Amino acid sequence: MRRVENIADMQRLADTWRAGGERIAFVPTMGFLHEGHLDLLRTARKMGTKSVISIFVNPTQFAPTEDFESYPRDLGGDLDLATEVGTDAAFIPPVDEMYPEGFQTYVHVDRVTENLCGRSRPIFFRGVATVVCKLFHAVKPHISIFGQKDFQQLVTIKRMVKDMNMDIEIVGHPIVREKDGLAMSSRNTYLTQEQRPVALRLNRCLKEAQKLVDSGERNAEMILKAAGDLLTTGGGATVDYARLCNPDTIEDVEVISGPTLLALAVWVGKTRLIDNCLLKAIKN
């Protein structure tokens, strides 16, 4: 696996591959890889003839009070894992390569970023859209794969690519879960043994919500009340949000009339966890 740290070098490598007729599949990450990331990389191997991972903890998507400095990192382990699944190149730019002195240009995607995480993390999506745009210019992929756990991020990137006429196919990959049902995340390592059962309430909440819909409940307020009760009963968790949204626009819905996104963000101790599912209403 090639290791590339310079944007110009990555662009030259991408140009060489493209000239040779290769199809580049790209997985952007912040590192500290887990099985969910590896599944994305395996998908990239299947969908392209050359696969690239980026490993970059992006400072512009962290607020001053968030965990940029303490975000888990293991570059050596990440490179070993990416090599094991057959990734062709790892793009690992330093911060000053991505954001040189005097940097002042950002990408802002409007409406789809205003709800959910956009409410509690107001700079988050500006940072995400900016870094992904820059990574796309460096890696020059034909296709890029994103996990659906960060559903709003996936919708935001799709919107940016469409609006800016980027010739890149964006693919959403299903959530990969641990054996107990917890959605895989680098931040799961923050959880203590006592906090783990509390974290599992998120997946239980998603399942219970689908059961309510299956039983005929369509009122969003009733479903969200049940979700909030399940998440908080027993203590140990603080709900940032639990919302039902249109999966295309990320706007709140009051009545479920088709596939509807149930999105959760919950603090378990000092760890913020997100999860989601598409609730499916069977028409009678």
Side-chain angles (χ1 to χ4, degrees):
M1 183 178 68
R2 301 192 191 195
R3 174 172 172 166
V4 184
E5 299 184 6
N6 180 274
I7 291 172
D9 289 343
M10 185 68 245
Q11 290 172 328
R12 280 191 288 269
L13 177 59
D15 286 341
T16 299
W17 282 343
R18 279 175 166 266
E22 305 287 3
R23 180 170 171 81
I24 303 170
F26 175 45
V27 178
T29 81
M30 293 207 302
F32 208 70
L33 303 186
H34 50 65
E35 186 59 33
H37 294 114
L38 300 184
D39 219 26
L40 297 179
L41 290 171
R42 294 186 190 102
T43 300
R45 289 276 296 166
K46 294 175 183 177
M47 301 191 77
T49 60
K50 294 293 183 182
S51 59
V52 180
I53 183 175
S54 64
I55 300 172
F56 180 69
V57 182
N58 176 38
T60 65
Q61 68 192 61
F62 289 82
T65 57
E66 294 180 337
D67 59 342
F68 174 70
E69 294 297 338
S70 62
Y71 191 85
R73 294 164 169 86
D74 181 13
L75 181 56
D78 291 343
L79 294 175
D80 289 343
L81 290 171
T83 300
E84 287 175 12
V85 298
T87 305
D88 293 290
F91 180 48
I92 317 166
V95 171
D96 60 1
E97 177 76 4
M98 294 294 285
Y99 299 107
E101 185 177 357
F103 184 87
Q104 55 192 289
T105 303
Y106 293 88
V107 177
H108 181 79
V109 183
D110 282 331
R111 293 189 298 275
V112 296
T113 67
E114 292 172 0
N115 202 357
L116 305 181
C117 288
R119 292 188 175 204
S120 54
R121 306 183 70 189
I123 71 165
F124 176 70
F125 286 111
R126 185 186 77 161
V128 167
T130 300
V131 77
V132 171
C133 181
K134 288 177 67 66
L135 290 169
F136 283 169
H137 284 302
V139 177
K140 301 186 179 183
H142 297 83
I143 184 168
S144 189
I145 302 101
F146 291 80
Q148 290 179 350
K149 182 175 75 72
D150 299 289
F151 196 94
Q152 189 177 17
Q153 173 179 277
L154 172 62
V155 172
T156 298
I157 298 306
K158 284 184 174 180
R159 185 78 257 172
M160 177 184 76
V161 165
K162 181 177 181 179
D163 289 350
M164 301 304 290
N165 306 111
M166 297 179 178
D167 187 18
I168 304 170
E169 180 184 356
I170 304 299
V171 174
H173 189 282
I175 296 172
V176 179
R177 299 185 179 276
E178 300 187 27
K179 291 182 179 179
D180 58 9
L182 185 64
M184 288 192 172
S185 169
S186 299
R187 289 188 170 98
N188 289 353
T189 58
Y190 296 161
L191 296 170
T192 66
Q193 185 176 355
E194 293 74 23
Q195 290 171 336
R196 186 82 181 196
V198 179
L200 294 178
R201 293 178 198 163
L202 278 80
N203 191 29
R204 284 177 50 210
C205 178
L206 300 176
K207 292 179 178 178
E208 291 301 319
Q210 184 61 63
K211 288 180 182 178
L212 282 174
V213 174
D214 291 343
S215 70
E217 183 62 70
R218 296 293 183 270
N219 184 286
E221 184 178 356
M222 296 299 295
I223 295 170
L224 293 176
K225 182 182 183 306
D229 290 345
L230 194 155
L231 290 169
T232 56
T233 297
T238 302
V239 177
D240 182 351
Y241 62 74
R243 307 187 81 87
L244 286 163
C245 303
N246 180 303
D248 297 317
T249 64
I250 315 297
E251 294 174 339
D252 290 344
V253 301
E254 295 182 357
V255 177
I256 294 178
S257 58
T260 302
L261 177 70
L262 173 55
L264 309 174
V266 178
W267 287 95
V268 179
K270 296 182 179 180
T271 305
R272 185 177 183 273
L273 302 174
I274 61 172
D275 206 342
N276 70 79
C277 72
L278 282 178
L279 300 178
K280 299 176 182 177
I282 300 174
K283 295 183 179 179
N284 296 323

